[in-house]
Amino acid sequence: MSYWCAATVVDGIVTRAVRITAGTDGRIVDVTAGVPRRDDDIALGVVMPGAGNAHSHAFHRLLRGRTHGAGGDFWLWREAMYAAAARLDPALYREVARAVFAEMLVCGYTAVGEFHYLHHRHDGAAYAEPHAMELALAHAARDVGIRLVLLDTVYLAGGIGAPLEPRQRAFGDGSAEGWLRRWHALDAALPVDGLVTLGAAIHSVRAVSRGDIRTVVDGLPPHVPLHVHVSEQPRENAESLAAYGLSPVGVLAEAGALGPRLALVHATHLSDADVAAVGAAGAQVVICPTTEADLGDGIGPARRLADAGARIALGSDQNAVVDPFLEMRGLEAGERLASGRRGCFDPAALAGAAGAGGYAALGLGPHALAVGDHCDLIEVDTGSVRTAGSALAQLPLSATAADVRRVVVAGRVVADGGILVGAGDGAAGTAGTEPATLLRSAIAAVDGVAAREESR
């Protein structure tokens, strides 16, 4: 399949009249600039690499527009999150995730890292079908055609030195060794199709002890991307210092986790020593600007982390907002508010965090519309009320998800004008569907479960 692009924007460089050809494996086999369109080319306008959503909790989307009236903080919001999690089973989770992944796809995300810890029944018992919840997510991604890195998460404690709370039992596997056994079995059970791959995550130093972190690191293949929530809240830092005499970053370093394959999610409340350690280790950092703003988490030291040597990626996290352009602008806006100056991250760096940074954090390799890269790209409307007059290289600071026209994943068009196209067998059930239709149906189904609970 060949795409003729009026222009591509990669690393801030605008190139005109570009033909991108994808092979049967969905990777780019040829890129030629300055060429006329051929009759067999699919014509696109301005094209950018698709965004890689490096941190998502799909089911948190159920809380959008429902947790803002009472104020509060992260810890109050978490109560509503637990209630939403308790209403999901594999069939319902597939429906919810399919809707959320569809929304991501039409908004410009071509890949998503799902930080997944809803492993078991609500009482902690295993489902009859092994890996039922994990397979639900894999099927949901294939249903719509988005690239998924399933970040299967180890979650063993309800706080440092504390057992899981009753409402957290679905998250646990008993021990780090138990989680590793399940992870390796899941790795063998996931069909190999190039669209869904398996990664790993440590929920946090609150939920996994120092010794168990070491066990997880030693038990995973070295190529597997590893993610972890770090210092999202000051309370996490205080508890870690009280228990270990170390910050969460210090705990990860001591346990052998801190290195190039590790992606630290949030990293909002870091000391200068933490920043230096993360940068020196060449670790990756996933900033989630819209979530961190929505929950009142704070503004993280993204610019200082980048200057220290960390690679920055972006994620939608709780999916209160699904828009890679707003995450890009949120990254820059936070730095402007904290520093009092503009241009902390230039447009090329913002696009790189959303695209190449996200793909790197997910272990998906380079992502620059070059030969050998995944053919995952988006076409952006440059004549809308938001983008008219914008310099093409500055689209990250003017466009929104509403300006995403066509979306290509693995060399095939999977969304066009906000509608799922249905490229490939996995998407057949959603062809021609608007994500809003899927979202309304999924939310209504979850609300039905809640209503039945309340009537008992």
Side-chain angles (χ1 to χ4, degrees):
M1 188 74 71
S2 292
Y3 297 91
W4 184 87
C5 312
T8 61
V9 185
V10 182
D11 295 331
I13 298 170
V14 178
T15 307
R16 306 284 179 174
V18 180
R19 177 179 295 114
I20 299 173
T21 303
T24 56
D25 63 352
R27 290 184 179 269
I28 296 172
V29 296
D30 184 70
V31 180
T32 308
V35 296
R37 179 191 171 192
R38 297 186 312 215
D39 290 342
D40 60 344
D41 289 336
I42 295 175
L44 302 175
V46 174
V47 165
M48 300 172 62
N53 187 349
H55 187 69
S56 165
H57 301 286
F59 78 94
H60 291 187
R61 170 62 180 82
L62 297 167
L63 304 179
R64 184 190 297 177
R66 297 184 174 196
T67 64
H68 311 287
D73 56 11
F74 167 86
W75 303 101
L76 180 61
W77 169 88
R78 194 174 71 153
E79 298 302 311
M81 181 270 289
Y82 283 141
R87 296 178 183 127
L88 297 175
D89 60 19
L92 192 50
Y93 201 16
R94 177 174 179 173
E95 187 175 352
V96 169
R98 177 171 52 202
V100 177
F101 292 162
E103 181 183 9
M104 290 179 188
L105 195 66
V106 302
C107 289
Y109 287 114
T110 49
V112 56
E114 183 63 21
F115 198 104
H116 166 66
Y117 49 80
L118 303 185
H119 302 306
H120 309 296
R121 296 183 184 276
H122 311 313
D123 62 359
Y127 285 99
E129 178 188 6
H131 317 299
M133 292 294 263
E134 292 72 34
L135 292 173
L137 290 167
H139 292 319
R142 294 190 184 100
D143 286 344
V144 302
I146 197 169
R147 193 178 300 283
L148 170 68
V149 178
L150 180 57
L151 298 167
D152 193 89
T153 303
V154 56
Y155 195 134
L156 301 173
I160 297 176
L164 289 172
E165 300 174 27
R167 58 190 175 174
Q168 297 172 323
R169 287 173 183 161
F171 311 161
D173 289 290
S175 65
E177 293 81 3
W179 177 82
L180 280 166
R181 285 192 296 271
R182 188 180 55 74
W183 188 93
H184 283 286
L186 174 60
D187 190 33
L190 278 178
V192 179
D193 62 1
L195 198 64
V196 177
T197 55
L198 183 61
I202 295 162
H203 181 271
S204 60
V205 299
R206 290 183 292 109
V208 185
S209 71
R210 178 168 51 181
D212 285 337
I213 292 171
R214 168 66 74 177
T215 298
V216 167
V217 171
D218 290 346
L220 286 171
H223 68 276
V224 172
L226 180 62
H227 288 220
V228 57
H229 292 130
V230 173
S231 297
E232 182 177 5
Q233 297 292 323
R235 177 171 143 188
E236 177 185 332
N237 290 350
E239 292 176 353
S240 180
L241 286 166
Y244 300 122
L246 296 167
S247 69
V249 168
V251 172
L252 293 167
E254 185 186 75
L258 194 63
R261 76 158 168 180
L262 187 69
L264 289 78
V265 181
H266 302 304
T268 306
H269 302 282
L270 300 188
S271 67
D272 290 344
D274 289 336
V275 170
V278 171
Q284 302 170 89
V285 176
V286 183
I287 307 295
C288 304
T290 62
T291 286
E292 288 147 11
D294 181 72
L295 297 180
D297 290 343
I299 299 171
R303 184 66 263 171
R304 289 196 293 127
L305 283 161
D307 291 343
R311 184 166 191 175
I312 305 299
L314 295 170
S316 66
D317 194 1
Q318 61 160 330
N319 298 302
V321 176
V322 173
D323 187 328
F325 291 97
L326 294 188
E327 301 297 349
M328 293 183 226
R329 287 213 278 288
L331 177 63
E332 169 65 4
E335 289 295 323
R336 290 184 183 186
L337 290 168
S339 68
R341 62 185 179 86
R342 306 173 82 212
C344 303
F345 288 93
D346 65 23
L350 295 175
Y359 271 56
L362 296 175
L364 294 173
H367 186 47
L369 302 186
V371 172
D373 293 356
H374 292 294
C375 189
D376 298 351
L377 54 89
I378 60 174
E379 178 189 22
V380 181
D381 184 352
T382 58
S384 76
V385 294
R386 293 161 295 277
T387 60
S390 294
L392 298 187
Q394 295 190 36
L395 286 170
L397 291 168
S398 61
T400 71
D403 298 307
V404 175
R405 287 178 167 176
R406 277 171 286 188
V407 179
V408 174
V409 175
R412 298 176 295 183
V413 176
V414 290
D416 189 345
I419 305 296
L420 299 174
V421 170
D425 295 338
T430 57
T433 303
E434 293 185 8
T437 301
L438 298 174
L439 285 162
R440 287 192 296 268
S441 175
I443 292 167
V446 176
D447 286 348
V449 173
R452 289 191 292 275
E453 289 175 352
E454 292 173 1
S455 66
R456 290 173 188 160

